[in-house]
Amino acid sequence: MSHLDRQRQGATDTGITRAMPLTFTTLNDILANAADTIIDVRTPAEFAGDHIPGAINLPALSNDQRAEIGTMYVQDSPFKARKRGAAMVARNVADHLDGPLRDKDGGWQPLVYCWRGGQRSGSFASILQQIGWRAETIAGGYQTFRRLVHQYLYETPLPHRIILLDGNTGTGKTALLARLRLQGVQVIDLEGLAHHRGSMLGQMPTPQPSQKAFETALACALVRCDPDQPVIIEAESSKIGRINLPPSLWSVMCAAPRVMISASLDARAAFLANAYADVTADLDDLRQRLQPMRYIKSHATVNAWEDLLDANNLKALAASLMQTHYDSAYDKARDGHVFDLVGHIHAETLDDAGLAKVTNQIAALINPAG
């Protein structure tokens, strides 16, 4: 019987349901919990900043209500604040019972948490328990989860065998990661987690997550990987957009062996023009993204790019960007880095057939026995 099962048994074997918070000591314990639903009862703003993966947000207090209670607690009276807050929580839980929880049957088992595992989650879970559901709470709430994420990424060495997928812009590295994942290879897409392609044109339609939310996604992705099998990660800088990679991962990446991918400029330009379709869909926005390069390259260079943009010659624009900026930037970033080369693969084409061939070659390189 696990420690969580013993805690649960202690909460019910007397015949009286009691709110006994569950204690989690590892990140994997929380991720492997057996609850039917994880309920984050913090405010929508707190939830948006970061939350346990898979949790739903049923706020005990709204953003405005929490601010009001906090002000009342400091400026008026803690007792009045608790009394007012209890009334708000009761009304909000009633709305959740009549709404998202309406169809839950008697066997439903939720796990409830708030910021510190205190009054909000305790009050919410108590109401659910009185109805007859085996609702449980997390000792320490979200702060317990955040501490475990921080410990995993910042306080202990990562046990994984990382292999970097390297290559200049337009060699299809992100597309190759997705194809490798479908073949059962362990992959972590850092740009996908960061919602950014890691370049001046890298902004994606969806905004970047908070640093904490990125770290949650990263830690959960890593903890789910088998440390005895290689994990493929795209070669990146230590910062993706405004997201910083944790030093533990960055140090492992700097020392990791690499698989190098190359392709002709023509093939890369065609691939990039298609892969960045969301960027080229708004030419005015793309034009604005190019403007800072006037102070890095020259006005003449950016003017030439704008001429290609005006002519809607996106493939030629992609080729020029790589020739005059991206390729030299990649070469400079690699200078001074000494790394083991697992292998070098040249892609003849970067269409579906070409990417499929390269994917098979990468898989064979990293797992020759497979």
Side-chain angles (χ1 to χ4, degrees):
M1 180 182 294
S2 71
H3 76 288
L4 297 183
D5 289 332
R6 285 192 291 271
Q7 289 183 67
R8 291 184 177 112
Q9 185 182 64
T12 58
D13 59 9
T14 63
I16 301 174
T17 302
R18 301 195 308 273
M20 296 181 63
L22 299 180
T23 301
F24 295 97
T25 57
T26 70
L27 187 58
N28 194 56
D29 284 342
I30 291 185
L31 298 179
N33 80 86
D36 294 322
T37 309
I38 304 175
I39 302 176
D40 185 324
V41 302
R42 297 176 303 155
T43 66
E46 292 171 307
F47 182 82
D50 184 35
H51 54 268
I52 296 176
I56 63 171
N57 187 211
L58 299 181
L61 295 172
S62 70
N63 297 329
D64 291 341
Q65 287 172 334
R66 184 165 186 262
E68 177 185 338
I69 295 303
T71 300
M72 183 180 295
Y73 189 95
V74 173
Q75 296 183 358
D76 194 344
S77 149
F79 173 78
K80 289 182 179 179
R82 286 193 292 268
K83 181 180 178 183
R84 173 69 172 152
M88 289 177 173
V89 169
R91 293 189 188 97
N92 292 334
V93 175
D95 289 339
H96 298 321
L97 291 170
D98 285 336
L101 306 183
R102 177 189 295 273
D103 297 325
K104 301 297 183 184
D105 62 28
W108 178 62
Q109 297 180 24
L111 178 62
V112 183
Y113 73 93
C114 60
W115 188 261
R116 298 183 182 85
Q119 292 183 338
R120 282 185 287 175
S121 60
S123 299
F124 198 115
S126 179
I127 294 173
L128 300 185
Q129 291 164 356
Q130 293 304 312
I131 292 170
W133 286 315
R134 199 169 75 177
E136 295 169 315
T137 59
I138 297 176
Y142 167 79
Q143 287 192 335
T144 289
F145 175 74
R146 176 59 194 169
R147 184 179 68 253
L148 293 175
V149 168
H150 191 274
Q151 287 175 350
Y152 189 85
L153 292 178
Y154 287 89
E155 299 177 20
T156 56
L158 294 178
H160 306 83
R161 290 198 294 129
I162 302 295
I163 297 177
L164 295 187
L165 191 59
D166 200 354
N168 285 356
T169 298
T171 49
K173 299 184 293 294
T174 301
L176 289 168
L177 289 179
R179 288 172 176 266
L180 286 166
R181 179 181 282 118
L182 291 176
Q183 290 198 10
V185 176
Q186 293 189 137
V187 163
I188 295 179
D189 180 2
L190 295 177
E191 292 183 357
L193 298 181
H195 295 183
H196 199 282
R197 298 186 183 96
S199 68
M200 69 173 176
L201 302 181
Q203 182 178 334
M204 294 182 178
T206 53
Q208 287 198 267
S210 68
Q211 181 70 31
K212 287 182 178 180
F214 170 80
E215 291 175 359
T216 286
L218 175 61
C220 292
L222 285 167
V223 82
R224 292 185 177 110
C225 288
D226 180 353
D228 293 328
Q229 298 298 321
V231 181
I232 311 302
I233 295 177
E234 183 175 343
E236 302 282 356
S237 67
S238 62
K239 192 170 185 178
I240 306 175
R242 57 174 175 76
I243 296 295
N244 294 300
L245 297 184
S248 59
L249 177 62
W250 178 240
S251 63
V252 172
M253 289 173 64
C254 288
R258 305 187 184 204
V259 174
M260 295 294 299
I261 309 297
S262 63
S264 69
L265 180 64
D266 185 71
R268 291 192 292 137
F271 178 84
L272 197 65
N274 181 64
Y276 277 54
D278 61 308
V279 176
T280 57
D282 188 341
L283 298 184
D284 288 337
D285 180 65
L286 176 53
R287 188 186 306 276
Q288 290 302 312
R289 296 196 201 189
L290 295 174
Q291 298 314 303
M293 295 302 295
R294 292 184 179 276
Y295 310 100
I296 299 173
K297 295 298 181 181
S298 69
H299 289 292
T301 297
V302 177
N303 288 342
W305 291 342
E306 289 186 325
D307 289 342
L308 294 172
L309 194 58
D310 291 336
N312 202 34
N313 194 341
L314 301 179
K315 181 179 176 181
L317 173 61
S320 181
L321 283 167
M322 288 186 286
Q323 280 183 309
T324 58
H325 174 62
Y326 282 122
D327 286 358
S328 59
Y330 269 76
D331 291 341
K332 183 178 180 180
R334 294 190 191 102
D335 284 346
H337 282 279
V338 178
F339 54 84
D340 293 331
L341 185 64
V342 178
H344 176 238
I345 299 172
H346 182 77
E348 297 297 333
T349 65
L350 291 169
D351 55 10
D352 283 344
L355 289 172
K357 181 179 179 180
V358 173
T359 301
N360 291 333
Q361 291 174 304
I362 296 171
L365 274 176
I366 64 174
N367 187 19

